[in-house]
Amino acid sequence: MRILLAAMNARKDDPDGNLARHLAALEQARLQGCQLAVFPEFSLTGSVDPRRHPGRALAVDAEPVRALLEGTSRTGVAAVFGIAERDGPAFHITQLYGHDGRLGGSYRKRHLGEGEEGYRPGDGAGVFRLGAATFGVTICAEGGVDFPWDDAAAGGASVILFCSAPGLHGRRTDERGWRDGHGWWLSSGLGDAIRHARRLGVPVAMATQAGPTEDEDFPGLAALVSPAGEVARLPDWRPGSLVVEVAADVAVQPVREAVRCLLVDQAGRALLVRYADDRAAGDWWGVPGGGLDPGEDHLAAVRRELREELARDDLAVGPWIGRRCHTFWLGRWMTQRERWVLCRAEPFEVDPAHVRTLAAEAIRELRWWSADELRAHAPVVTPRDLPALLDRIARGDLPGPDDDLGV
């Protein structure tokens, strides 16, 4: 599993700015081939004292949360991010887990630290799934106790995420002050991570708030600690991101073999299918295709899918232009491995009556799209770099049959 760890400046009372920073990090994670992006404690709301600023806390269904969850669908990257949670009259320090546009779970901090008297502790272990991989979540002051870590390890976590926002005492006024604050967190927070990684034999991935806010400064850190206590980290206290890999395979077995047929007309437009499945959080556009039947080869599957979805068996097929493997949620975790083939075709329309017969396949609409139209309207597309792929084809720069087309 490839993970982006964000050391983020999470400003207080700035959910729009914090949301924008999360979405930018998700896009960066997509471009770097990550399946998961991890953000600090309070990353979306900023650090909140609910006794002074209760209005800065968010419910789990608040608009900034929904927008960030939608970002996980748009990029294909899952996210663990932090909020000050308002739950009726109660407040919690919460890490939310989102993937494929949906809320996959939440973990409420169980061991509260100094200055967190306005919050209630949560209950239940922070253990979640991303495909076949299991990961745990712990939050800041929980570094000083064992039980949240023990519960995550007992739940089968292949990596434990340590999401933090440790406020520094006194404002930082010069570089020496920042180095001193960062040095404290290296010995305290990173020291806790090393201790837990060694005693549990599980890697620990850290994401810490970084930089000044309106009334509080944070020491910044993104790091991966191996079970042997070896550390890879950002060099200093400043905001940044660290991409790491851990030995946790997200692929769900058995992998579903599939084909996809990219139909392109003389103007460079692609015929795309709009899928809207009740098991998914939103709809998306992709190319015709589907899974292989038992004993069927890829070429036979392409011709069958073109007959079934487009009512056409006269289209020229070839060449093969790449592969794609992705793990996603559709009522359950699935991994699909696709071979893609290019078809050149004159533009045509599919009979709406035929399209209606495809409702059981979650197909709602077919439409020809240009790369520029996709960029302008910005629907969720698969793969996410489909406009760039159409640009390549228009230039005559066809991907090879084994090229990775991305998530």
Side-chain angles (χ1 to χ4, degrees):
M1 183 162 60
R2 193 170 174 88
I3 305 172
L4 182 142
L5 304 172
M8 173 181 286
N9 182 230
R11 297 169 189 165
K12 303 186 180 189
D13 199 25
D14 185 22
D16 292 340
N18 291 335
L19 173 62
R21 284 182 280 277
H22 282 77
L23 296 178
L26 285 177
E27 179 61 16
Q28 178 190 353
R30 182 188 71 81
L31 293 172
Q32 295 189 257
C34 299
Q35 291 102 356
L36 177 65
V38 180
F39 298 94
E41 179 186 26
F42 293 128
S43 61
L44 190 56
T45 58
S47 183
V48 172
D49 183 342
R51 297 166 300 182
R52 297 175 55 205
H53 300 291
R56 294 182 177 181
L58 295 175
V60 295
D61 61 352
E63 175 54 33
V65 174
R66 292 198 300 269
L68 183 45
L69 293 177
E70 199 275 336
T72 67
S73 175
R74 186 166 297 279
T75 60
V77 178
V80 173
F81 59 98
I83 65 170
E85 180 193 352
R86 178 195 290 271
D87 180 34
F91 296 88
H92 299 277
I93 299 171
T94 303
Q95 291 296 119
L96 300 178
Y97 169 44
H99 61 79
D100 300 285
R102 65 186 291 272
L103 181 63
S106 62
Y107 174 67
R108 291 169 168 172
K109 190 174 187 177
R110 290 188 284 167
H111 177 75
L112 300 176
E114 179 184 352
E116 296 174 347
E117 292 79 11
Y119 290 99
R120 293 184 187 176
D123 54 28
V127 179
F128 305 99
R129 293 284 298 277
L130 176 55
T134 301
F135 64 89
V137 175
T138 59
I139 305 176
C140 206
E142 293 181 333
V145 296
D146 290 352
F147 69 91
W149 303 80
D150 294 344
D151 289 348
S158 296
V159 59
I160 299 176
L161 312 180
F162 186 27
C163 306
S164 304
L168 297 173
H169 293 292
R171 302 312 301 265
R172 308 295 103 176
T173 59
D174 55 25
E175 182 165 323
R176 179 177 178 179
W178 280 109
R179 289 194 182 281
D180 288 346
H182 186 246
W184 163 78
W185 186 236
L186 290 178
S187 63
S188 177
L190 184 58
D192 285 336
I194 293 171
R195 179 176 72 86
H196 292 299
R198 282 174 168 165
R199 73 181 186 84
L200 295 172
V202 176
V204 174
M206 298 181 67
T208 304
Q209 277 200 37
T213 63
E214 65 184 25
D215 60 0
E216 195 174 17
D217 298 333
F218 295 93
L221 186 64
L224 178 67
V225 182
S226 77
E230 299 164 334
V231 177
R233 65 174 177 88
L234 293 180
D236 57 32
W237 61 89
R238 296 176 176 88
S241 62
L242 180 70
V243 174
V244 300
E245 292 187 0
V246 298
D249 190 357
V250 303
V252 178
Q253 301 296 333
V255 174
R256 183 178 188 247
E257 299 292 341
V259 291
R260 292 291 174 191
C261 185
L262 178 58
L263 282 89
V264 178
D265 70 7
Q266 293 171 327
R269 300 181 306 164
L271 182 61
L272 301 185
V273 177
R274 182 171 69 87
Y275 295 94
D277 195 302
D278 292 339
R279 297 167 294 177
D283 58 5
W284 68 98
W285 292 84
V287 305
L292 273 62
D293 287 340
E296 188 176 41
D297 65 32
H298 287 83
L299 184 57
V302 168
R303 298 192 181 282
R304 174 181 54 76
E305 291 290 344
L306 292 174
R307 288 194 301 271
E308 292 176 358
E309 296 188 3
L310 307 182
R312 297 287 298 267
D313 60 5
D314 59 341
L315 296 169
V317 176
W320 297 103
I321 57 166
R323 299 176 182 268
R324 179 170 176 256
C325 187
H326 60 121
T327 298
F328 57 97
W329 177 268
L330 200 60
R332 61 184 176 89
W333 285 109
M334 301 173 59
T335 298
Q336 182 160 288
R337 183 165 48 220
E338 302 169 353
R339 291 194 69 189
W340 279 54
V341 69
L342 178 65
C343 292
R344 303 281 190 177
E346 296 289 337
F348 62 89
E349 300 299 324
V350 180
D351 186 340
H354 179 71
V355 175
R356 288 194 291 272
T357 69
L358 303 173
E361 303 297 321
I363 293 174
R364 300 293 183 264
E365 181 183 0
L366 288 96
R367 172 182 165 181
W368 293 89
W369 289 85
S370 71
D372 287 342
E373 287 172 333
L374 288 173
R375 279 186 279 262
H377 293 274
V380 176
V381 294
T382 56
R384 273 66 179 185
D385 276 337
L386 184 56
L389 176 59
L390 293 178
D391 290 338
R392 285 189 64 178
I393 292 171
R395 296 192 303 267
D397 177 23
L398 299 186
D402 294 319
D403 283 5
D404 185 359
L405 300 180
V407 66

